[in-house]
Amino acid sequence: MPTPAEALALILDRLAPLPARRLPLEAVLGMAAAEPLTSTATVPPFTNSAMDGYAVRAADLAGASQEHPVRLRVLGDLAAGGVPLGAVGPGQALRIMTGAPMPEGADSVVPVEDTSRGEDWVEITAPLRTGIHIRLAGEDLREGQRLVPAGQALRPGDLGVLAAAGIPTVAVHPRARVAVLTTGDELVDVSEEPGPGRIRDANIHAVCAQVSACGATPVPFPRVPDDRATLMGVLRRALEADVVLTTGGISVGDYDFMKAMLEELGAERIFWKVAQKPGGPLGFWMLGGRAIFGIPGNPVAAMLMVEEYVRPALRKLMGFTKLHRPVAEARLEDGWTGRTDQRTTFLRVVARREADGFSARTTGPQGSAILSSMLSANALAVIPKGVACVEPGGTVRLHLTEEPEDH
Ligand code: AMP
Ligand code: MG
């Protein structure tokens, strides 16, 4: 039985980023660029005014004061989007708006607030630093400048820069399409009143949300009853997606058919069961280049498996460089007592950043069916195999599940 680290390595070794696709800027938010992006343009493309005011020659204003204002002749008006018709000579000014190109001859802009205007003249009562209130061509971006590395989620600011730099499309790794199947005769929809022996399907919502949260696209399937033929049919359809996630039916119960069905379909078993609590029976198969995760049905175990194994796998498929959550050491304030065995234990905890590092508290009862333990959790504490007890205040390692990857 692989340890969690071994299981993760077995999964990641089998997966490579999905082939890149060229998409328009409006479709790539949150996706990873497949190649480094480089500016194809100079930004700004021309030297322009940073203020609404007057384009002037600073030398003309060297002697300006309250007592001796300098009066310049105004040649005309220039709005953003216009082009200057002529040069500004000594003793002259051009009324100019923010973003309009600087005319020949002018080297500075006087903000309109610092001027008083007559019919065809403007008066200025203070000198001006040469070059002030103008934006030089290329001061923002140069042609050939590196903008965004490959493998990093594109953010709104990145898209703005790419647009300014003349890059209308980006080669990105597509979002992985993830078929999500929940199995179990006992399951009913959230909107239904469960009859005797039935419960509501929590996993379809939790797991699809986890898939969305890491940037992939969930494709929820109708709940699958514990029936071989139905399961087989649904699995065949699910295998049209890039990845298949199934919850339930993966253990050793009399109605746990998932493992047998997948192998009947020809899936190659990479492992079944991981040495961890909660949720040992995680299975991982490959079939026709697709990854299939058989996840236990207990909702806490299911979410934990998606967090620890599926999420890094999806991020690898989607071309991200960073696959893992940040880790930190923390004091476990309330301590923990379990049983000594050869499995790693994951505790749901509330972690707090304090002046001298992180502290954490468990979220209460940690049973794998206690879904309410997820409500306030913002981290997982990882208790190594062989450790049966953490004293109150003892040190634990955390996976910070609410923070973006940092390594
Ligand atoms: P299984 O892995 O199918 O043996 O299911 C283990 C436990 O998880 C059982 O108590 C199931 O009723 C429960 N369970 C399975 N699937 C779901 C689900 N989609 N939502 C909520 N509980 C589930
Ligand atoms: Mg079941």
Side-chain angles (χ1 to χ4, degrees), residues 182-183 186-187 199-204 247-250 256 296-299:
T182 54
T183 71
E186 71 278 32
L187 302 177
I199 58 168
R200 294 192 178 90
D201 179 359
N203 291 348
I204 194 70
T247 78
I250 195 67
D256 290 345
N298 271 316

Side-chain angles (χ1 to χ4, degrees), residues 251-323:
S251 195
V252 292
D254 292 346
Y255 299 93
D256 290 345
F257 303 134
M258 190 61 71
K259 192 155 144 273
M261 291 295 97
L262 286 170
E263 287 166 22
E264 214 168 285
L265 281 169
E268 178 197 359
R269 188 200 309 172
I270 312 300
F271 62 81
W272 175 62
K273 287 196 172 176
V274 184
Q276 75 157 72
K277 287 186 299 187
L282 169 76
F284 178 63
W285 289 263
M286 289 296 295
L287 177 58
R290 290 177 170 80
I292 306 169
F293 292 85
I295 299 166
N298 271 316
V300 172
M303 287 194 73
L304 203 131
M305 293 303 191
V306 174
E307 170 60 37
E308 290 289 319
Y309 304 98
V310 178
R311 184 176 184 283
L314 295 181
R315 290 189 60 86
K316 183 159 186 191
L317 288 175
M318 294 187 290
F320 292 104
T321 312
K322 294 175 180 174
L323 304 182

Side-chain angles (χ1 to χ4, degrees), residues 232-252:
M232 194 64 149
V234 177
L235 279 175
R236 283 188 208 280
R237 276 191 288 129
L239 280 162
E240 285 165 22
D242 300 309
V243 175
V244 178
L245 304 187
T246 70
T247 78
I250 195 67
S251 195
V252 292

Side-chain angles (χ1 to χ4, degrees), residues 33-54:
E35 58 201 17
L37 301 172
T38 303
S39 179
T40 56
T42 295
V43 179
F46 48 85
T47 298
N48 64 92
S49 177
M51 301 286 279
D52 296 325
Y54 293 86

Side-chain angles (χ1 to χ4, degrees), residues 21-29 35 37-41 147 154 158-172:
R21 229 177 255 172
R22 188 160 283 282
L23 294 177
L25 285 186
E26 54 271 30
V28 300
L29 179 65
E35 58 201 17
L37 301 172
T38 303
S39 179
T40 56
L147 300 176
L154 291 160
D158 299 325
L159 302 186
V161 169
L162 294 176
I167 301 172
T169 63
V170 183
V172 287

